[in-house]
Amino acid sequence: SMNLFKAGGVDQFCINKAGDKLVGATSDCLIRLWDLKKNTVWVELKGHQDSISSLLLTKDEKTIVSGSYDRTIRIWDLERKCESRSIEVSGRLSALVLNSIEDRVVSAQEKFLKIYSLATGALVKTFKGFEDDIWELAVTEDDYKGVLGLENGKIIFFNFISEEIEKVIEAH
């Protein structure tokens, strides 16, 4: 059996569609790509200075987007095996999600949602602060609504167009 995690614990991971490549963020702040057929690490990506809190693989499997407690979002080019862009952010990152066409990344930074352009790194939009830190984040396929899991246990359904909270599920 292969020990994928000998470098330390894996904080985040995702797998490609074919199921033969695993992308993992390890506790030593590296992103490693494992070839599961050959049982080898085929890429190590270094850049984050603190724990990686979110890790995404684009649908075309050519780009990784990572977010870290070091207050950066990093865009990684898998064909060139290097970082293509680093976006400095103002808040501690807890979650990232890509929009449906993968040209924007939605980030949860403490009590705020912020959207950045993947192409330029520019801040596109900041949404009002919520009542507690956002820990989890999902976006509907049509990109109109977000579901936020807050530190206080509440689940918030948020409309990106109207910028209104549509529903709150209280902690149980």
Side-chain angles (χ1 to χ4, degrees):
S1 79
M2 145 175 81
N3 182 359
L4 296 177
F5 315 123
K6 60 186 170 193
V10 173
D11 297 325
Q12 300 288 325
F13 65 89
C14 49
I15 196 162
N16 70 340
K17 287 180 228 143
D20 60 350
K21 301 269 190 313
L22 180 75
V23 180
T26 53
S27 58
D28 55 2
C29 306
L30 293 176
I31 295 171
R32 290 184 170 84
L33 285 81
W34 287 277
D35 182 318
L36 298 177
K37 288 183 178 172
K38 297 178 183 173
N39 295 343
T40 58
V41 173
W42 63 280
V43 178
E44 282 189 348
L45 302 170
K46 183 175 175 55
H48 284 297
Q49 305 300 313
D50 202 345
S51 295
I52 297 167
S53 56
S54 195
L55 192 62
L56 307 168
L57 180 63
T58 58
K59 292 174 201 162
D60 66 9
E61 300 179 3
K62 294 180 180 177
T63 306
I64 294 170
V65 181
S66 59
S68 169
Y69 293 145
D70 67 7
R71 297 175 187 251
T72 63
I73 298 170
R74 294 180 190 265
I75 318 300
W76 307 89
D77 181 328
L78 288 182
E79 292 178 329
R80 293 183 18 234
K81 299 180 182 172
C82 66
E83 182 182 304
S84 58
R85 176 172 313 285
S86 179
I87 304 169
E88 299 283 328
V89 302
S90 58
R92 183 179 165 146
L93 279 164
S94 56
L96 295 175
V97 67
L98 294 170
N99 68 336
S100 60
I101 60 170
E102 298 187 331
D103 67 338
R104 302 271 191 267
V105 61
V106 183
S107 66
Q109 298 177 43
E110 297 164 6
K111 294 177 174 65
F112 296 90
L113 285 177
K114 297 187 179 193
I115 299 177
Y116 297 89
S117 164
L118 281 186
T120 66
L123 177 63
V124 175
K125 178 84 176 165
T126 299
F127 292 98
K128 65 182 178 184
F130 293 87
E131 67 183 75
D132 207 348
D133 285 1
I134 304 163
W135 279 12
E136 291 294 334
L137 175 62
V139 173
T140 57
E141 198 171 309
D142 63 10
D143 296 327
Y144 293 145
K145 296 181 183 179
V147 182
L148 293 61
L150 303 187
E151 184 175 10
N152 63 14
K154 291 182 181 177
I155 298 172
I156 306 289
F157 293 80
F158 183 74
N159 186 310
F160 289 115
I161 307 303
S162 68
E163 300 187 26
E164 297 294 325
I165 293 172
E166 295 186 342
K167 183 175 184 174
V168 177
I169 297 175
E170 298 291 333
H172 295 287

